[in-house]
Amino acid sequence: MLSDLRARLDRLPARIRRVERRELREFRRWVEHTNNLLHLSVLLFVPLLITLVTYISNASTLLSFLLFPPLASGTYTLFSDPEGKYASPSKFVGGMTAGAVCGFLAIELTGLAGVGGATSAGVQVSALDAGVSIFLTGAVTWALDLEEPTAFSTALLTLLTGGARGEYVLSVVLSTAFVATAFYAWRELFYDRRAEYLYRTTQGDDHVLVPVRGETADETAMFAARIAAAHDAGKVVLLDLVAESEIVEAEAGIRRDEDETAVDETVGKDPATEAQEQVAGQAAMRLERLAGRIQTRVGVPCEVVVASESGSPASVVLQTATEANCDLVVTPYEERHGSLSPFVKSLFDDPIDVVAFRSVSGRTRWRRVLVAVARPGDNAHAMLDFAQRVSRAAGTVSVCTCIDTESHRRRAESMLLNLVEPFDGTFETRVSRDSIQRFLSANAPSHDLVVVGASTDRTAASRFLAPPTFEKIRDVDCDVAIVHRGG
């Protein structure tokens, strides 16, 4: 009993670390969604900045508490939509300052005209002052292209400051400049570079394992090399799985040769060992020739591994990926009975990034790439990253999504903009009312490669009701890359 308890306690730290790693992975995948990142930023930065400004205002009589309502509203607008119409630090500062100045001028002008300052019972602000301040604010912000909703708030709040109007205008300038500087730093140093910090494929997936299988193994290996070559630390590991039947056949041939030449079996190697070395050597020579072609044409380092196909081929591939420190597997696409082969399914079930590549053209360069996105998330980011790597700087990447009704168009356009914005380079975005099958059938022939998701992040019921896109485009006349994002 005591020994069992001690063993459980010894295993407890390892379990806690596994839970922490799993939760960290889930959080990272969650925060990759741009909308989630923006909500989190608003939740963290808006209260923090208002807290700092409030602390400064409490320590100084210069800053008025009346600036906080428009300041909080404007700060929220900046961080919630950093690429929007009002997400300009200069317009943020200029608009709120213009509003405060216009409120100041409204009181001065109506006072000089002898018509200001009239108040009704219980009202401390002149109706005429309010109207003039709003008119001036609208005219000035329009003329200076400083259309900022919070400008009208500061214009009206200036009317409540009494004899401290000049100090209020100065406090607006200082506080908005502080917030705008913080927002600019956040956007330039983090938000615009979120792909570099948050998207795992942009930093990893540079050690690529390629199981050399089937008739399109050479094209698949070249595709993997294009992906790996985008990173300085990239490399390709070519893996050939030797079947037991090949070794048995080679051993039988060696024994026949020994019988025909009457060689004493006690001399030399054991036929089984010699057969293994012979088959492995032949496989290694094939891989070395392929590796030489890849290094010559793409310039990425290549390694070769020969393993026995004992048990499950997928298990051998995954074990080799771990031992070779590979974080991406690129395998030829395989089908059985109209569906994915058990080999590819097993790879998709593992928490490692996998690309199943279906070559129909025999090409080894892909300049025009079409990425079909159904929903935002880490898998969509991986698809864009791989598409950009393969097409290189001289290529073009088009990103598309399909909608059911026209009312979904604006949301779909916003989704595509959020997806492509963190990546360097030029993208074309398209939203279509066609079904994804009809759209790809019509547009794929004008592209070299179509990139789609494996839908492994969907439930089995969802995949049954709406089959994955790659199952709908079996007849498309274009190379297809099916991307599975691991854990």
Side-chain angles (χ1 to χ4, degrees):
M1 178 75 70
L2 186 59
S3 60
D4 290 343
L5 179 59
R6 185 180 295 109
R8 291 181 180 180
L9 291 176
D10 291 340
R11 291 194 297 268
L12 184 59
R15 291 183 178 179
I16 293 176
R17 286 193 295 269
R18 285 198 298 271
V19 172
E20 289 176 346
R21 287 194 295 268
R22 183 172 65 251
E23 294 300 325
L24 183 60
R25 287 196 300 268
E26 290 300 321
F27 174 75
R28 186 169 184 171
R29 298 181 75 162
W30 178 84
V31 82
E32 277 196 34
H33 288 254
T34 300
N35 288 337
N36 293 337
L37 176 62
L38 292 179
H39 284 307
L40 184 61
S41 297
V42 167
L43 187 62
L44 294 177
F45 289 103
V46 174
L48 177 61
L49 290 173
I50 297 302
T51 299
L52 291 174
V53 174
T54 304
Y55 176 79
I56 296 172
S57 71
N58 291 336
S60 171
T61 58
L62 182 62
L63 298 183
S64 170
F65 188 79
L66 291 176
L67 68 88
F68 293 137
L71 185 66
S73 174
T75 305
Y76 173 83
T77 301
L78 288 176
F79 282 92
S80 64
D81 190 10
E83 301 297 335
K85 176 181 179 181
Y86 302 112
S88 168
S90 59
K91 287 187 177 182
F92 173 73
V93 176
M96 290 187 62
T97 302
V101 171
C102 288
F104 180 93
L105 292 177
I107 296 176
E108 296 297 324
L109 291 175
T110 56
L112 290 175
V115 294
T119 62
S120 59
V123 180
Q124 300 300 318
V125 176
S126 166
L128 181 61
D129 289 346
V132 172
S133 66
I134 292 300
F135 172 79
L136 290 176
T137 301
V140 170
T141 55
W142 182 21
L144 300 179
D145 192 24
L146 294 174
E147 295 179 89
E148 182 73 38
T150 51
F152 297 93
S153 298
T154 54
L156 291 176
L157 290 173
T158 305
L159 306 181
L160 297 174
T161 57
R165 294 188 296 273
E167 291 82 354
Y168 181 75
V169 172
L170 182 58
S171 68
V172 169
V173 176
L174 296 177
S175 61
T176 53
F178 175 76
V179 171
T181 301
F183 167 74
Y184 181 79
W186 170 82
R187 188 176 65 181
E188 295 297 318
L189 300 179
F190 177 74
Y191 181 76
D192 287 347
R193 300 171 62 183
R194 61 190 183 275
E196 177 183 345
Y197 297 130
L198 298 179
Y199 302 170
R200 181 165 57 84
T201 58
T202 60
Q203 302 175 32
D205 286 342
D206 46 12
H207 293 179
V208 187
L209 178 68
V210 183
V212 180
R213 299 164 57 93
E215 298 178 355
T216 61
D218 287 13
E219 292 84 353
T220 302
M222 198 65 68
F223 177 80
R226 302 287 181 191
I227 292 178
H231 288 179
D232 294 336
K235 73 172 182 178
V236 175
V237 178
L238 303 176
L239 170 65
D240 196 354
L241 300 180
V242 178
E244 292 292 337
S245 58
E246 296 182 56
I247 298 176
V248 171
E249 183 179 349
E251 182 181 354
I254 292 172
R255 292 188 182 278
R256 285 195 302 270
D257 292 341
E258 288 179 349
D259 291 340
E260 292 175 0
T261 56
V263 175
D264 186 356
E265 293 186 5
T266 61
V267 179
K269 296 181 179 179
D270 176 67
T273 303
E274 187 176 351
Q276 291 176 355
E277 293 179 354
Q278 177 181 317
V279 172
Q282 293 172 350
M285 290 178 61
R286 293 194 299 269
L287 294 182
E288 291 290 355
R289 288 195 293 269
L290 177 57
R293 293 196 296 272
I294 291 174
Q295 290 176 329
T296 300
R297 300 182 62 178
V298 184
V300 65
C302 289
E303 299 177 4
V304 300
V305 176
V306 179
S308 174
E309 195 183 73
S310 56
S312 168
S315 299
V316 178
V317 170
L318 295 172
Q319 181 180 354
T320 305
T322 301
E323 294 174 351
N325 193 31
C326 293
D327 45 12
L328 173 65
V329 175
V330 176
T331 182
Y333 178 79
E334 298 178 6
E335 279 190 353
R336 180 177 294 183
H337 308 306
S339 182
L340 283 178
S341 69
F343 171 74
V344 179
K345 284 183 178 178
S346 296
L347 295 181
F348 281 173
D349 289 338
D350 194 81
I352 187 173
D353 292 351
V354 179
V355 177
F357 179 71
R358 189 183 72 189
S359 174
V360 297
S361 65
R363 71 172 68 248
T364 57
R365 286 181 177 271
W366 300 267
R367 296 297 190 190
R368 297 163 298 172
V369 183
L370 177 62
V371 182
V373 176
R375 65 190 64 82
D378 54 346
N379 202 69
H381 298 148
M383 292 160 60
L384 287 174
D385 182 36
F386 294 151
Q388 195 174 41
R389 292 200 212 181
V390 169
S391 63
R392 298 294 185 91
T396 59
V397 177
S398 300
V399 188
C400 71
T401 192
C402 294
I403 56 176
D404 297 324
T405 62
E406 195 64 29
S407 60
H408 295 161
R409 179 173 296 276
R410 180 172 297 180
R411 184 188 307 169
E413 291 173 346
S414 177
M415 177 195 73
L416 294 182
L417 176 62
N418 287 335
L419 285 175
V420 304
E421 194 271 333
F423 293 91
D424 293 331
T426 303
F427 294 85
E428 176 194 20
T429 59
R430 301 179 62 180
V431 178
S432 174
R433 284 285 307 275
D434 279 338
S435 68
I436 189 65
Q437 183 177 1
R438 287 197 298 268
F439 180 83
L440 292 181
S441 297
N443 292 273
S446 61
H447 293 80
D448 302 329
L449 174 70
V450 170
V451 182
V452 297
S455 295
T456 47
D457 55 344
R458 294 164 52 193
T459 63
S462 174
R463 292 196 298 270
F464 176 77
L465 295 175
T469 301
F470 68 85
E471 293 186 0
K472 304 175 184 178
I473 57 171
R474 290 190 177 93
D475 299 328
V476 70
D477 187 21
C478 183
D479 293 349
V480 178
I482 305 164
V483 177
H484 158 74
R485 176 73 183 275

